[in-house]
Amino acid sequence: MPIFIKSKQYFSQAQKVIPGGVNSPVRAFGAVGGEPVFIAKGKGAYIWDVDGNKYIDYVLSWGPMILGHADSLVIKEVTKTLKNGTSFGAPTKKETDLAKLISEIYPSIEKVRLVSSGTEAAMSAIRLARGYTGKDKIIKFEGCYHGHFDSLLVKAGSGLATFGVPSSAGVTKGIAQDTITLPFNDIVKVKEVIEKEKDNLACVIVEPVPANMGVILPRDNFLKELREITQKYNIVLIFDEVISGFRLALGGAQEVFGVKPDLTVLGKIIGGGFPIGAFGGKAQIMGYLSPGGPVYQAGTLSGNPVAVSAGLVTIKKLTKKNVYRKLDAIAEILIGELCKISAKAGQRIVINHIGSLFTIFFAPTLRSGQVDKNVISNYNDVLNCDLKKFAGFFRGMLRDGVYLAPSQFEANFISAKHILKDIKNTLSAAKKVLRSL
Ligand code: KE4
């Protein structure tokens, strides 16, 4: 049984000087109970907490560490960069190299602006769409998360197309009223609202594969039809690929599903574990950005040499042959076996996965006569999951050295450093824990 003495001490100290003891809410384990473990170090597929407990890591800093922690090439390149200074607030050649590499891999991205977080990238893309179209309203989807920008912390209002209501304190009604929140995967409702609001809509922003309500897969033609109707009415379509970009494939969801957005938001992997975000798309739209255009956007550390050098090495490694084939293959083994184990343990789980991105849902217990849909395809389905059982599973797996995403509404990730031995250890832990629930 692992001990968590130092983590407990560090958490109580942290709570005295940091709100909730964490610098990002999900880290506090609020969704799964218990107290967070404090991490001392990571290497490859593993992390160690401050009490020396080792974990197979499926969070990977929420996606960035696709090469695994402390990748030797990334460390070597960053160390070299550090020796020449870390930030100048002036252009450097490597920013052009990263922008060029991104636009070579993403045909929809003709120009790209680097920033310091996914939130900043999504926020800027929304402002750019509004500036470019001269329209105010935006559409987002329930359960999709695009960072903590006011206009995106809005949930569905009472009526279908009525303006949204703030989903966070501090977001004003005035801001919320320009955001319409619709159910993901419901193209009929989307078309109905767009037909009604088309003259006021600046953009639609969507995670093409939502991973912030757990992983939800887009229904067959949802993305294609979303592209068609936004194209028809010159509404800017923004793909938020902060998670899916360079994860599902080198070219992200737009490569996998063959749908080209007008703007793309990126982050996480492109910084190789350093603070970064990016938004890019058609040159015609990007040209509206300052300094050449009327839409203001800026950042002290935007495109800083350290994050850019880590991102360049990471992406170059991902262009190597078979990287994604191996990632996806090991994910298939894990997920296939987990389904068998859970069935044998009499647990009803639904695993949504695509590539090396997955979420284990604890499907709701069936009420008598209820049909077993066995499908989790939107936010409401996730809300009905057995969150208590999920929490018990998370805590049991943590005790057994497996660090999963601490929320039913999050995704898990696999790195290029996860090997069969790690999958076997994960499965034997799961067998034990699923039986104990
Ligand atoms: P950041 O501002 O956290 O770099 O990115 C915001 C963001 C934008 N778009 C998508 C699709 C995202 O998933 C995120 C952030 N993801 C969360 C995990 N679900 C980050 C973890 C956290 O908030 O602590």
Side-chain angles (χ1 to χ4, degrees):
M1 185 68 161
I3 53 147
F4 301 113
I5 297 167
K6 277 194 181 161
S7 277
K8 273 189 174 321
Q9 271 170 1
Y10 291 173
F11 189 46
S12 95
Q13 289 165 11
Q15 287 172 295
K16 293 190 179 83
V17 285
I18 302 172
V22 291
N23 284 310
S24 201
V26 70
R27 303 178 191 175
F29 280 17
V32 289
E35 295 192 341
V37 290
F38 275 57
I39 305 304
K41 66 174 184 175
K43 182 67 185 160
Y46 313 119
I47 50 176
W48 286 261
D49 68 21
V50 291
D51 290 290
N53 304 306
K54 178 181 177 184
Y55 304 92
I56 303 167
D57 184 15
Y58 287 98
V59 176
L60 297 169
S61 180
W62 300 100
M65 312 321 295
I66 192 167
L67 297 180
H69 293 286
D71 177 81
S72 49
L73 219 51
V74 172
I75 300 292
K76 186 162 161 256
E77 181 62 23
V78 166
T79 307
K80 204 172 90 192
T81 304
L82 288 173
K83 290 184 176 132
N84 294 325
T86 55
S87 178
F88 311 108
T92 60
K93 167 77 169 51
K94 278 188 178 167
E95 293 163 68
T96 310
D97 298 342
L98 181 56
K100 196 160 165 290
L101 186 57
I102 289 172
S103 60
E104 281 163 2
I105 296 168
Y106 287 74
S108 69
I109 298 180
E110 294 169 353
K111 288 204 172 180
V112 56
R113 171 67 56 90
L114 301 177
V115 294
S116 296
S117 73
T119 296
E120 202 183 341
M123 167 182 94
S124 309
I126 297 275
R127 183 182 313 127
L128 175 60
R130 284 172 162 156
Y132 173 70
T133 59
K135 311 276 177 65
D136 295 344
K137 284 190 184 285
I138 66 172
I139 286 177
K140 74 173 289 285
F141 294 90
E142 255 164 348
C144 285
Y145 176 68
H146 308 286
H148 58 92
F149 173 45
D150 282 8
S151 289
L152 294 166
L153 292 178
V154 176
K155 59 188 177 204
S158 51
L160 179 60
T162 53
F163 45 74
V165 292
S167 60
S168 161
V171 174
T172 67
K173 289 196 190 67
I175 292 270
Q177 69 177 12
D178 283 334
T179 301
I180 298 168
T181 303
L182 297 175
F184 184 77
N185 265 334
D186 188 335
I187 196 62
V188 171
K189 282 207 173 132
V190 171
K191 287 181 175 175
E192 191 184 315
V193 171
I194 289 184
E195 289 296 346
K196 181 169 175 287
E197 291 288 341
K198 59 185 176 296
D199 299 332
N200 313 312
L201 277 169
C203 64
V204 173
I205 184 166
V206 65
E207 288 181 71
V209 176
N212 285 285
M213 47 177 146
V215 175
I216 297 288
L217 301 179
R219 281 211 186 102
D220 321 349
N221 287 328
F222 180 71
L223 296 174
K224 193 167 152 294
E225 293 190 53
L226 189 61
R227 173 64 290 181
E228 283 163 3
I229 189 155
T230 47
Q231 196 94 43
K232 182 177 171 190
Y233 294 120
N234 295 318
I235 297 164
V236 176
L237 178 60
I238 303 174
F239 271 11
D240 178 345
E241 296 226 42
V242 165
I243 282 190
S244 55
F246 295 95
R247 168 61 62 181
L248 305 189
L250 204 55
Q254 52 198 275
E255 176 185 314
V256 173
F257 293 95
V259 174
K260 275 173 83 171
D262 300 307
L263 292 178
T264 300
V265 175
L266 294 167
K268 296 184 192 274
I269 286 173
I270 64 167
F274 287 86
I276 199 160
F279 62 106
K282 291 179 178 161
Q284 185 194 348
I285 302 176
M286 296 300 286
Y288 270 68
L289 266 183
S290 55
V295 178
Y296 192 70
Q297 183 276 328
T300 304
L301 289 171
S302 294
N304 78 80
V306 182
V308 166
S309 62
L312 276 168
V313 168
T314 299
I315 295 174
K316 282 178 187 152
K317 277 192 96 168
L318 291 172
T319 57
K320 296 265 175 294
K321 220 160 142 308
N322 293 330
V323 167
Y324 288 95
R325 196 180 56 72
K326 283 186 196 144
L327 272 169
D328 300 357
I330 209 156
E332 287 289 339
I333 297 168
L334 173 66
I335 287 145
E337 292 304 315
L338 269 175
C339 290
K340 289 180 201 157
I341 289 170
S342 62
K344 277 201 193 110
Q347 298 295 346
R348 289 187 60 249
I349 69 167
V350 173
I351 303 182
N352 283 357
H353 79 105
I354 177 167
S356 57
L357 185 67
F358 67 99
T359 296
I360 302 164
F361 291 102
F362 280 77
T365 33
L366 290 174
R367 288 187 297 283
S368 62
Q370 191 185 359
V371 174
D372 182 353
K373 274 196 339 170
N374 220 14
V375 169
I376 306 280
S377 64
N378 61 39
Y379 188 55
N380 269 338
D381 289 348
V382 185
L383 287 175
N384 291 327
C385 282
D386 189 332
L387 304 183
K388 206 160 156 287
K389 201 168 253 194
F390 174 87
F393 179 65
F394 170 84
R395 288 197 303 272
M397 294 296 274
L398 187 76
R399 262 198 314 274
D400 283 2
V402 178
Y403 194 88
L404 295 170
S407 164
Q408 177 68 99
F409 298 85
E410 294 288 356
N412 296 287
F413 307 84
I414 290 176
S415 83
K417 294 287 192 326
H418 282 70
I419 55 176
L420 267 184
K421 175 175 66 76
D422 304 317
I423 302 307
K424 284 201 179 98
N425 291 340
T426 304
L427 293 169
S428 59
K431 197 177 283 180
K432 203 175 101 192
V433 176
L434 286 166
R435 280 206 192 116
S436 71
L437 291 181

